[in-house]
Amino acid sequence: MSQGCFDTQALILILLLTTVAGTENKCFNFSSAVLHNVRNPGREHKMKRLLTVVLLTVCAAAPEDLTGKMFTFPQETKTDHVKLITPREEFKAITVCLRSFTDLSRNHGLFSLATPAFANAFLIFKKSASDQIEMNIRNKGISFFGQEYKLNTWQSVCTSWDGANGLVQVWIDGKPSARRYCSDGTITGHALIMLGQEQDSHGGGFDPQQTFVGLTTDVHMWDFVLSPCEIQRFVDDLNFSPGNVINWRALEYQIVGKIIVENKQGACSCLIKKKVLNMFGQSCQA
């Protein structure tokens, strides 16, 4: 049989197993079986590259709706984190919203986006001072004061950056900061987004003294500046538009280490209260 037939058979086998793997949401190690039929070293090298692409596609987790769920980060570590996956490689503006719960009084990162050019391309960083939030944009930092960051309670944290004018703003439980200049321009390159660790290099440089220990839920990211009204809708957990870059309701993620996905605490009691509180213009944080 000709080499071309072997390549055709190998490709058909890849496509067939890809379909099966996708159906069962499992990763299959079938590269050696396919490459066994490829005798030519040059063709084998090409086939290995093709298999790499296919295996990455097969093994990638399908988007998952994490409504009512949370990530639990139970320990201080220099390795454990959650990687949020997006194919986007250019940002002219960013808004990030999330809810967090922690008892940490030391420095810790809440959201870390790094590119090859900027380790701190977009970083939300809680400083040890109780009222200080630091934002880093394109490796430039600016601090916001007067925001009450409470311990042992759920809090909504939103931040926005407009690359056209460089302005940054922070909201804690719907309370806005002043709009301050940090860095203008565009964030480009392979974006690695992590929860639980603060990246001091692209995909690494973790410091256990800056790791997040606590609970995180409802993480959304948009590629534009969200309006104050839309941010308030997120804070109140009303019918807000989910993130078009990172969407908690259709999240692609990878867990590294001992991080647990579990039901969000307090969700039942919050749902009972929400209808009544909304009547009085108040919100319920689970």
Side-chain angles (χ1 to χ4, degrees):
M1 188 178 294
S2 69
Q3 183 64 52
C5 291
F6 276 116
D7 287 351
T8 301
Q9 286 184 337
L11 182 57
I12 291 173
L13 179 59
I14 291 170
L15 294 175
L16 177 60
L17 290 175
T18 300
T19 302
V20 174
T23 301
E24 299 185 2
N25 196 25
K26 297 179 180 178
C27 296
F28 284 79
N29 183 11
F30 53 85
S31 58
S32 58
V34 175
L35 292 174
H36 179 73
N37 288 322
V38 182
R39 306 300 184 187
N40 184 288
R43 292 179 180 273
E44 181 176 349
H45 177 69
K46 292 180 180 179
M47 186 60 70
K48 283 182 178 179
R49 290 195 299 175
L50 175 60
L51 278 167
T52 300
V53 174
V54 172
L55 284 170
L56 287 174
T57 302
V58 173
C59 297
E64 185 176 348
D65 185 354
L66 292 185
T67 300
K69 301 290 185 179
M70 65 183 183
F71 289 134
T72 296
F73 300 83
Q75 60 186 354
E76 186 176 286
T77 169
K78 63 179 181 180
T79 56
D80 298 3
H81 64 274
V82 177
K83 184 183 296 183
L84 306 183
I85 300 169
T86 176
R88 296 289 302 277
E89 294 192 351
E90 181 178 64
F91 300 98
K92 298 180 179 179
I94 291 174
T95 301
V96 169
C97 287
L98 56 85
R99 306 188 210 280
S100 66
F101 184 110
T102 185
D103 62 357
L104 294 176
S105 57
R106 59 163 171 77
N107 294 349
H108 58 275
L110 291 172
F111 183 96
S112 174
L113 187 159
T115 66
F118 301 111
N120 294 324
F122 188 96
L123 170 66
I124 307 173
F125 194 78
K126 177 64 184 68
K127 302 289 283 187
S128 58
S130 61
D131 67 341
Q132 183 180 1
I133 298 286
E134 182 179 277
M135 287 297 302
N136 283 259
I137 307 295
R138 303 173 79 246
N139 286 357
K140 296 180 181 179
I142 187 169
S143 290
F144 294 84
F145 296 90
Q147 290 280 18
E148 188 177 4
Y149 187 86
K150 302 175 184 177
L151 302 184
N152 293 314
T153 186
W154 280 107
Q155 293 187 110
S156 296
V157 179
C158 292
T159 62
S160 69
W161 163 71
D162 188 343
N165 52 35
L167 295 182
V168 179
Q169 192 168 19
V170 175
W171 288 261
I172 303 293
D173 287 337
K175 177 185 176 183
S177 71
R179 286 164 58 81
R180 302 188 62 187
Y181 175 82
C182 184
S183 176
D184 53 33
T186 304
I187 296 173
T188 59
H190 179 216
L192 289 180
I193 301 175
M194 294 188 185
L195 305 176
Q197 297 286 352
E198 188 265 310
Q199 301 174 78
D200 284 333
S201 62
H202 188 227
F206 303 150
D207 181 351
Q209 293 302 310
Q210 296 179 347
T211 189
F212 176 78
V213 179
L215 316 173
T216 299
T217 189
D218 297 342
V219 183
H220 292 267
M221 176 177 169
W222 298 261
D223 62 357
F224 55 89
V225 175
L226 222 58
S227 71
C229 289
E230 194 70 14
I231 285 176
Q232 190 60 52
R233 295 182 71 84
F234 172 85
V235 172
D236 294 335
D237 200 13
L238 297 175
N239 188 27
F240 64 91
S241 300
N244 65 344
V245 178
I246 299 296
N247 180 358
W248 190 256
R249 303 169 191 170
L251 193 68
E252 294 187 58
Y253 65 95
Q254 177 187 358
I255 290 177
V256 177
K258 189 176 181 59
I259 297 164
I260 304 164
V261 179
E262 55 183 345
N263 291 332
K264 185 178 175 182
Q265 292 184 346
C268 293
S269 60
C270 189
L271 288 173
I272 294 172
K273 297 176 183 178
K274 186 175 293 183
K275 291 184 179 180
V276 176
L277 291 175
N278 284 343
M279 294 173 61
F280 297 94
Q282 300 180 31
S283 63
C284 175
Q285 298 294 317

mmCIF file of all heavy atoms in Angstrom, residues 190-232:
data_model
loop_
_atom_site.group_PDB
_atom_site.id
_atom_site.type_symbol
_atom_site.label_atom_id
_atom_site.label_comp_id
_atom_site.label_asym_id
_atom_site.label_seq_id
_atom_site.Cartn_x
_atom_site.Cartn_y
_atom_site.Cartn_z
ATOM 1 N N HIS A 190 -0.281 36.489 23.229
ATOM 2 C CA HIS A 190 -0.944 35.331 23.841
ATOM 3 C C HIS A 190 -1.302 35.629 25.293
ATOM 4 O O HIS A 190 -0.418 35.769 26.145
ATOM 5 C CB HIS A 190 -0.035 34.109 23.762
ATOM 6 C CG HIS A 190 -0.622 32.882 24.380
ATOM 7 N ND1 HIS A 190 0.135 31.950 25.061
ATOM 8 C CD2 HIS A 190 -1.900 32.439 24.439
ATOM 9 C CE1 HIS A 190 -0.642 30.986 25.516
ATOM 10 N NE2 HIS A 190 -1.884 31.261 25.144
ATOM 11 N N ALA A 191 -2.590 35.735 25.589
ATOM 12 C CA ALA A 191 -3.049 36.109 26.924
ATOM 13 C C ALA A 191 -3.217 34.879 27.804
ATOM 14 O O ALA A 191 -3.964 33.962 27.472
ATOM 15 C CB ALA A 191 -4.371 36.868 26.823
ATOM 16 N N LEU A 192 -2.516 34.873 28.947
ATOM 17 C CA LEU A 192 -2.705 33.849 29.969
ATOM 18 C C LEU A 192 -3.421 34.501 31.146
ATOM 19 O O LEU A 192 -2.914 35.446 31.745
ATOM 20 C CB LEU A 192 -1.361 33.278 30.424
ATOM 21 C CG LEU A 192 -0.616 32.389 29.423
ATOM 22 C CD1 LEU A 192 0.697 31.913 30.017
ATOM 23 C CD2 LEU A 192 -1.467 31.199 29.011
ATOM 24 N N ILE A 193 -4.614 33.989 31.467
ATOM 25 C CA ILE A 193 -5.428 34.546 32.539
ATOM 26 C C ILE A 193 -5.483 33.539 33.667
ATOM 27 O O ILE A 193 -5.821 32.373 33.454
ATOM 28 C CB ILE A 193 -6.848 34.873 32.045
ATOM 29 C CG1 ILE A 193 -6.778 35.882 30.883
ATOM 30 C CG2 ILE A 193 -7.711 35.422 33.174
ATOM 31 C CD1 ILE A 193 -8.123 36.163 30.245
ATOM 32 N N MET A 194 -5.167 33.991 34.879
ATOM 33 C CA MET A 194 -5.108 33.076 36.018
ATOM 34 C C MET A 194 -5.833 33.644 37.228
ATOM 35 O O MET A 194 -5.801 34.853 37.483
ATOM 36 C CB MET A 194 -3.656 32.767 36.389
ATOM 37 C CG MET A 194 -2.906 31.986 35.336
ATOM 38 S SD MET A 194 -1.286 31.445 35.909
ATOM 39 C CE MET A 194 -0.656 30.708 34.386
ATOM 40 N N LEU A 195 -6.453 32.736 37.977
ATOM 41 C CA LEU A 195 -7.005 33.011 39.296
ATOM 42 C C LEU A 195 -6.192 32.220 40.310
ATOM 43 O O LEU A 195 -5.776 31.091 40.043
ATOM 44 C CB LEU A 195 -8.468 32.586 39.379
ATOM 45 C CG LEU A 195 -9.437 33.150 38.336
ATOM 46 C CD1 LEU A 195 -10.815 32.531 38.518
ATOM 47 C CD2 LEU A 195 -9.516 34.670 38.412
ATOM 48 N N GLY A 196 -5.958 32.815 41.469
ATOM 49 C CA GLY A 196 -5.240 32.117 42.530
ATOM 50 C C GLY A 196 -3.774 32.474 42.632
ATOM 51 O O GLY A 196 -3.182 32.367 43.709
ATOM 52 N N GLN A 197 -3.170 32.879 41.516
ATOM 53 C CA GLN A 197 -1.763 33.276 41.509
ATOM 54 C C GLN A 197 -1.601 34.597 40.770
ATOM 55 O O GLN A 197 -2.379 34.919 39.880
ATOM 56 C CB GLN A 197 -0.888 32.212 40.845
ATOM 57 C CG GLN A 197 -0.865 30.865 41.539
ATOM 58 C CD GLN A 197 -0.050 30.854 42.820
ATOM 59 O OE1 GLN A 197 0.635 31.817 43.144
ATOM 60 N NE2 GLN A 197 -0.120 29.751 43.554
ATOM 61 N N GLU A 198 -0.555 35.321 41.139
ATOM 62 C CA GLU A 198 -0.187 36.552 40.439
ATOM 63 C C GLU A 198 1.058 36.264 39.612
ATOM 64 O O GLU A 198 2.083 35.822 40.144
ATOM 65 C CB GLU A 198 0.079 37.674 41.446
ATOM 66 C CG GLU A 198 0.282 39.040 40.802
ATOM 67 C CD GLU A 198 1.756 39.357 40.575
ATOM 68 O OE1 GLU A 198 2.550 39.217 41.509
ATOM 69 O OE2 GLU A 198 2.098 39.746 39.434
ATOM 70 N N GLN A 199 0.962 36.466 38.307
ATOM 71 C CA GLN A 199 2.058 36.141 37.402
ATOM 72 C C GLN A 199 3.111 37.256 37.401
ATOM 73 O O GLN A 199 2.801 38.403 37.099
ATOM 74 C CB GLN A 199 1.529 35.950 35.975
ATOM 75 C CG GLN A 199 0.481 34.860 35.845
ATOM 76 C CD GLN A 199 -0.117 34.796 34.455
ATOM 77 O OE1 GLN A 199 0.479 34.270 33.518
ATOM 78 N NE2 GLN A 199 -1.336 35.334 34.317
ATOM 79 N N ASP A 200 4.346 36.890 37.724
ATOM 80 C CA ASP A 200 5.468 37.822 37.581
ATOM 81 C C ASP A 200 6.229 37.574 36.289
ATOM 82 O O ASP A 200 7.196 38.267 35.980
ATOM 83 C CB ASP A 200 6.411 37.716 38.771
ATOM 84 C CG ASP A 200 5.842 38.403 40.016
ATOM 85 O OD1 ASP A 200 5.047 39.349 39.849
ATOM 86 O OD2 ASP A 200 6.168 37.980 41.133
ATOM 87 N N SER A 201 5.807 36.545 35.561
ATOM 88 C CA SER A 201 6.284 36.283 34.211
ATOM 89 C C SER A 201 5.123 35.643 33.469
ATOM 90 O O SER A 201 4.117 35.276 34.079
ATOM 91 C CB SER A 201 7.525 35.384 34.206
ATOM 92 O OG SER A 201 7.221 34.114 34.760
ATOM 93 N N HIS A 202 5.264 35.498 32.169
ATOM 94 C CA HIS A 202 4.176 34.952 31.358
ATOM 95 C C HIS A 202 3.950 33.485 31.705
ATOM 96 O O HIS A 202 4.692 32.608 31.271
ATOM 97 C CB HIS A 202 4.529 35.107 29.875
ATOM 98 C CG HIS A 202 3.416 34.758 28.939
ATOM 99 N ND1 HIS A 202 3.588 33.946 27.840
ATOM 100 C CD2 HIS A 202 2.109 35.114 28.924
ATOM 101 C CE1 HIS A 202 2.447 33.816 27.190
ATOM 102 N NE2 HIS A 202 1.530 34.521 27.832
ATOM 103 N N GLY A 203 2.944 33.218 32.560
ATOM 104 C CA GLY A 203 2.631 31.855 32.953
ATOM 105 C C GLY A 203 3.386 31.343 34.158
ATOM 106 O O GLY A 203 3.297 30.163 34.486
ATOM 107 N N GLY A 204 4.111 32.213 34.870
ATOM 108 C CA GLY A 204 4.887 31.748 36.020
ATOM 109 C C GLY A 204 5.294 32.886 36.936
ATOM 110 O O GLY A 204 4.673 33.938 36.991
ATOM 111 N N GLY A 205 6.409 32.656 37.660
ATOM 112 C CA GLY A 205 6.890 33.651 38.611
ATOM 113 C C GLY A 205 5.989 33.808 39.821
ATOM 114 O O GLY A 205 5.836 34.909 40.360
ATOM 115 N N PHE A 206 5.394 32.705 40.297
ATOM 116 C CA PHE A 206 4.428 32.769 41.390
ATOM 117 C C PHE A 206 5.130 32.980 42.731
ATOM 118 O O PHE A 206 6.200 32.422 42.982
ATOM 119 C CB PHE A 206 3.598 31.488 41.459
ATOM 120 C CG PHE A 206 2.858 31.164 40.188
ATOM 121 C CD1 PHE A 206 2.602 29.844 39.837
ATOM 122 C CD2 PHE A 206 2.410 32.167 39.341
ATOM 123 C CE1 PHE A 206 1.914 29.528 38.678
ATOM 124 C CE2 PHE A 206 1.726 31.861 38.180
ATOM 125 C CZ PHE A 206 1.486 30.543 37.842
ATOM 126 N N ASP A 207 4.504 33.742 43.599
ATOM 127 C CA ASP A 207 4.982 33.995 44.953
ATOM 128 C C ASP A 207 3.915 33.506 45.921
ATOM 129 O O ASP A 207 2.792 34.032 45.920
ATOM 130 C CB ASP A 207 5.234 35.488 45.151
ATOM 131 C CG ASP A 207 5.750 35.825 46.545
ATOM 132 O OD1 ASP A 207 5.756 34.938 47.423
ATOM 133 O OD2 ASP A 207 6.135 36.991 46.766
ATOM 134 N N PRO A 208 4.207 32.501 46.757
ATOM 135 C CA PRO A 208 3.178 31.985 47.671
ATOM 136 C C PRO A 208 2.632 33.036 48.625
ATOM 137 O O PRO A 208 1.511 32.904 49.115
ATOM 138 C CB PRO A 208 3.895 30.850 48.414
ATOM 139 C CG PRO A 208 5.343 31.099 48.212
ATOM 140 C CD PRO A 208 5.479 31.771 46.890
ATOM 141 N N GLN A 209 3.414 34.088 48.880
ATOM 142 C CA GLN A 209 2.942 35.155 49.762
ATOM 143 C C GLN A 209 1.971 36.109 49.067
ATOM 144 O O GLN A 209 1.453 37.041 49.690
ATOM 145 C CB GLN A 209 4.136 35.946 50.303
ATOM 146 C CG GLN A 209 5.020 35.141 51.240
ATOM 147 C CD GLN A 209 4.251 34.610 52.444
ATOM 148 O OE1 GLN A 209 3.548 35.356 53.129
ATOM 149 N NE2 GLN A 209 4.351 33.311 52.681
ATOM 150 N N GLN A 210 1.731 35.880 47.776
ATOM 151 C CA GLN A 210 0.754 36.683 47.037
ATOM 152 C C GLN A 210 -0.387 35.825 46.497
ATOM 153 O O GLN A 210 -1.262 36.326 45.795
ATOM 154 C CB GLN A 210 1.444 37.415 45.882
ATOM 155 C CG GLN A 210 2.471 38.435 46.336
ATOM 156 C CD GLN A 210 3.155 39.139 45.177
ATOM 157 O OE1 GLN A 210 3.055 38.727 44.026
ATOM 158 N NE2 GLN A 210 3.863 40.208 45.489
ATOM 159 N N THR A 211 -0.375 34.540 46.846
ATOM 160 C CA THR A 211 -1.412 33.645 46.352
ATOM 161 C C THR A 211 -2.744 33.963 47.018
ATOM 162 O O THR A 211 -2.801 34.460 48.143
ATOM 163 C CB THR A 211 -1.018 32.176 46.621
ATOM 164 O OG1 THR A 211 -1.918 31.315 45.954
ATOM 165 C CG2 THR A 211 -1.067 31.863 48.102
ATOM 166 N N PHE A 212 -3.828 33.671 46.309
ATOM 167 C CA PHE A 212 -5.172 33.898 46.850
ATOM 168 C C PHE A 212 -5.648 32.646 47.573
ATOM 169 O O PHE A 212 -5.538 31.537 47.049
ATOM 170 C CB PHE A 212 -6.146 34.242 45.723
ATOM 171 C CG PHE A 212 -7.574 34.398 46.176
ATOM 172 C CD1 PHE A 212 -7.995 35.561 46.809
ATOM 173 C CD2 PHE A 212 -8.500 33.382 45.978
ATOM 174 C CE1 PHE A 212 -9.312 35.716 47.227
ATOM 175 C CE2 PHE A 212 -9.815 33.518 46.392
ATOM 176 C CZ PHE A 212 -10.224 34.682 47.029
ATOM 177 N N VAL A 213 -6.170 32.836 48.775
ATOM 178 C CA VAL A 213 -6.785 31.751 49.536
ATOM 179 C C VAL A 213 -8.201 32.192 49.885
ATOM 180 O O VAL A 213 -8.390 33.211 50.555
ATOM 181 C CB VAL A 213 -5.992 31.429 50.825
ATOM 182 C CG1 VAL A 213 -6.674 30.304 51.594
ATOM 183 C CG2 VAL A 213 -4.552 31.066 50.500
ATOM 184 N N GLY A 214 -9.170 31.461 49.403
ATOM 185 C CA GLY A 214 -10.555 31.855 49.639
ATOM 186 C C GLY A 214 -11.470 31.283 48.578
ATOM 187 O O GLY A 214 -11.209 30.213 48.016
ATOM 188 N N LEU A 215 -12.537 32.021 48.264
ATOM 189 C CA LEU A 215 -13.551 31.580 47.321
ATOM 190 C C LEU A 215 -13.712 32.622 46.223
ATOM 191 O O LEU A 215 -13.647 33.824 46.480
ATOM 192 C CB LEU A 215 -14.899 31.389 48.036
ATOM 193 C CG LEU A 215 -14.875 30.672 49.389
ATOM 194 C CD1 LEU A 215 -16.252 30.711 50.033
ATOM 195 C CD2 LEU A 215 -14.381 29.245 49.241
ATOM 196 N N THR A 216 -13.927 32.153 45.000
ATOM 197 C CA THR A 216 -14.145 33.045 43.858
ATOM 198 C C THR A 216 -15.279 32.508 43.004
ATOM 199 O O THR A 216 -15.372 31.302 42.769
ATOM 200 C CB THR A 216 -12.875 33.160 42.991
ATOM 201 O OG1 THR A 216 -11.806 33.698 43.779
ATOM 202 C CG2 THR A 216 -13.110 34.092 41.813
ATOM 203 N N THR A 217 -16.134 33.403 42.524
ATOM 204 C CA THR A 217 -17.249 32.998 41.669
ATOM 205 C C THR A 217 -17.609 34.130 40.715
ATOM 206 O O THR A 217 -17.107 35.254 40.833
ATOM 207 C CB THR A 217 -18.472 32.611 42.536
ATOM 208 O OG1 THR A 217 -19.471 32.019 41.698
ATOM 209 C CG2 THR A 217 -19.073 33.821 43.227
ATOM 210 N N ASP A 218 -18.472 33.826 39.761
ATOM 211 C CA ASP A 218 -19.056 34.823 38.843
ATOM 212 C C ASP A 218 -17.998 35.697 38.172
ATOM 213 O O ASP A 218 -18.093 36.928 38.158
ATOM 214 C CB ASP A 218 -20.057 35.709 39.589
ATOM 215 C CG ASP A 218 -21.245 34.929 40.120
ATOM 216 O OD1 ASP A 218 -21.484 33.802 39.634
ATOM 217 O OD2 ASP A 218 -21.929 35.430 41.032
ATOM 218 N N VAL A 219 -16.987 35.060 37.576
ATOM 219 C CA VAL A 219 -15.914 35.804 36.897
ATOM 220 C C VAL A 219 -16.334 36.082 35.454
ATOM 221 O O VAL A 219 -16.643 35.153 34.701
ATOM 222 C CB VAL A 219 -14.596 35.016 36.922
ATOM 223 C CG1 VAL A 219 -13.480 35.847 36.289
ATOM 224 C CG2 VAL A 219 -14.236 34.613 38.351
ATOM 225 N N HIS A 220 -16.329 37.349 35.085
ATOM 226 C CA HIS A 220 -16.669 37.769 33.723
ATOM 227 C C HIS A 220 -15.650 38.795 33.246
ATOM 228 O O HIS A 220 -15.143 39.596 34.038
ATOM 229 C CB HIS A 220 -18.072 38.385 33.669
ATOM 230 C CG HIS A 220 -19.181 37.404 33.911
ATOM 231 N ND1 HIS A 220 -19.824 36.744 32.884
ATOM 232 C CD2 HIS A 220 -19.760 36.977 35.064
ATOM 233 C CE1 HIS A 220 -20.757 35.947 33.391
ATOM 234 N NE2 HIS A 220 -20.736 36.060 34.713
ATOM 235 N N MET A 221 -15.388 38.775 31.937
ATOM 236 C CA MET A 221 -14.474 39.741 31.329
ATOM 237 C C MET A 221 -15.036 40.185 29.990
ATOM 238 O O MET A 221 -15.486 39.363 29.194
ATOM 239 C CB MET A 221 -13.084 39.117 31.141
ATOM 240 C CG MET A 221 -12.080 40.000 30.419
ATOM 241 S SD MET A 221 -10.449 39.197 30.334
ATOM 242 C CE MET A 221 -9.604 40.280 29.173
ATOM 243 N N TRP A 222 -15.010 41.511 29.767
ATOM 244 C CA TRP A 222 -15.489 42.108 28.532
ATOM 245 C C TRP A 222 -14.341 42.843 27.844
ATOM 246 O O TRP A 222 -13.395 43.295 28.499
ATOM 247 C CB TRP A 222 -16.604 43.116 28.819
ATOM 248 C CG TRP A 222 -17.844 42.565 29.456
ATOM 249 C CD1 TRP A 222 -19.019 42.235 28.843
ATOM 250 C CD2 TRP A 222 -18.068 42.304 30.863
ATOM 251 N NE1 TRP A 222 -19.950 41.793 29.761
ATOM 252 C CE2 TRP A 222 -19.396 41.823 31.004
ATOM 253 C CE3 TRP A 222 -17.283 42.438 32.012
ATOM 254 C CZ2 TRP A 222 -19.937 41.473 32.239
ATOM 255 C CZ3 TRP A 222 -17.821 42.076 33.242
ATOM 256 C CH2 TRP A 222 -19.131 41.595 33.346
ATOM 257 N N ASP A 223 -14.424 43.006 26.539
ATOM 258 C CA ASP A 223 -13.392 43.738 25.802
ATOM 259 C C ASP A 223 -13.817 45.182 25.539
ATOM 260 O O ASP A 223 -13.435 45.783 24.540
ATOM 261 C CB ASP A 223 -13.039 43.030 24.489
ATOM 262 C CG ASP A 223 -14.211 42.936 23.520
ATOM 263 O OD1 ASP A 223 -15.334 43.371 23.881
ATOM 264 O OD2 ASP A 223 -14.011 42.429 22.396
ATOM 265 N N PHE A 224 -14.601 45.728 26.454
ATOM 266 C CA PHE A 224 -15.000 47.127 26.392
ATOM 267 C C PHE A 224 -15.271 47.600 27.820
ATOM 268 O O PHE A 224 -15.315 46.798 28.763
ATOM 269 C CB PHE A 224 -16.231 47.332 25.505
ATOM 270 C CG PHE A 224 -17.428 46.495 25.897
ATOM 271 C CD1 PHE A 224 -18.367 46.951 26.811
ATOM 272 C CD2 PHE A 224 -17.612 45.224 25.333
ATOM 273 C CE1 PHE A 224 -19.460 46.180 27.169
ATOM 274 C CE2 PHE A 224 -18.710 44.447 25.687
ATOM 275 C CZ PHE A 224 -19.638 44.920 26.609
ATOM 276 N N VAL A 225 -15.430 48.914 27.980
ATOM 277 C CA VAL A 225 -15.698 49.488 29.302
ATOM 278 C C VAL A 225 -17.190 49.383 29.592
ATOM 279 O O VAL A 225 -18.015 49.941 28.874
ATOM 280 C CB VAL A 225 -15.241 50.955 29.377
ATOM 281 C CG1 VAL A 225 -15.632 51.577 30.717
ATOM 282 C CG2 VAL A 225 -13.728 51.041 29.171
ATOM 283 N N LEU A 226 -17.513 48.655 30.632
ATOM 284 C CA LEU A 226 -18.904 48.462 31.017
ATOM 285 C C LEU A 226 -19.458 49.750 31.629
ATOM 286 O O LEU A 226 -18.755 50.468 32.345
ATOM 287 C CB LEU A 226 -18.984 47.332 32.043
ATOM 288 C CG LEU A 226 -20.122 46.312 31.923
ATOM 289 C CD1 LEU A 226 -20.072 45.632 30.565
ATOM 290 C CD2 LEU A 226 -20.016 45.275 33.032
ATOM 291 N N SER A 227 -20.724 50.043 31.365
ATOM 292 C CA SER A 227 -21.355 51.242 31.932
ATOM 293 C C SER A 227 -21.573 51.053 33.426
ATOM 294 O O SER A 227 -21.716 49.916 33.912
ATOM 295 C CB SER A 227 -22.687 51.511 31.241
ATOM 296 O OG SER A 227 -23.648 50.535 31.626
ATOM 297 N N PRO A 228 -21.636 52.147 34.193
ATOM 298 C CA PRO A 228 -21.913 52.027 35.631
ATOM 299 C C PRO A 228 -23.221 51.306 35.920
ATOM 300 O O PRO A 228 -23.303 50.540 36.901
ATOM 301 C CB PRO A 228 -21.969 53.490 36.091
ATOM 302 C CG PRO A 228 -21.090 54.220 35.132
ATOM 303 C CD PRO A 228 -21.322 53.538 33.809
ATOM 304 N N CYS A 229 -24.227 51.514 35.094
ATOM 305 C CA CYS A 229 -25.512 50.832 35.307
ATOM 306 C C CYS A 229 -25.373 49.321 35.119
ATOM 307 O O CYS A 229 -25.955 48.537 35.875
ATOM 308 C CB CYS A 229 -26.570 51.392 34.352
ATOM 309 S SG CYS A 229 -27.104 53.066 34.754
ATOM 310 N N GLU A 230 -24.593 48.910 34.113
ATOM 311 C CA GLU A 230 -24.400 47.480 33.877
ATOM 312 C C GLU A 230 -23.580 46.858 35.007
ATOM 313 O O GLU A 230 -23.827 45.724 35.416
ATOM 314 C CB GLU A 230 -23.708 47.256 32.532
ATOM 315 C CG GLU A 230 -23.744 45.818 32.029
ATOM 316 C CD GLU A 230 -25.129 45.342 31.601
ATOM 317 O OE1 GLU A 230 -26.019 46.195 31.436
ATOM 318 O OE2 GLU A 230 -25.308 44.121 31.469
ATOM 319 N N ILE A 231 -22.626 47.609 35.531
ATOM 320 C CA ILE A 231 -21.851 47.107 36.672
ATOM 321 C C ILE A 231 -22.757 46.943 37.890
ATOM 322 O O ILE A 231 -22.647 45.951 38.636
ATOM 323 C CB ILE A 231 -20.672 48.049 36.975
ATOM 324 C CG1 ILE A 231 -19.579 47.845 35.911
ATOM 325 C CG2 ILE A 231 -20.104 47.807 38.376
ATOM 326 C CD1 ILE A 231 -18.403 48.757 36.026
ATOM 327 N N GLN A 232 -23.673 47.874 38.089
ATOM 328 C CA GLN A 232 -24.597 47.752 39.211
ATOM 329 C C GLN A 232 -25.497 46.525 39.049
ATOM 330 O O GLN A 232 -25.831 45.852 40.030
ATOM 331 C CB GLN A 232 -25.445 49.011 39.345
ATOM 332 C CG GLN A 232 -26.276 49.073 40.627
ATOM 333 C CD GLN A 232 -25.401 49.030 41.877
ATOM 334 O OE1 GLN A 232 -24.455 49.805 42.015
ATOM 335 N NE2 GLN A 232 -25.712 48.109 42.791
#
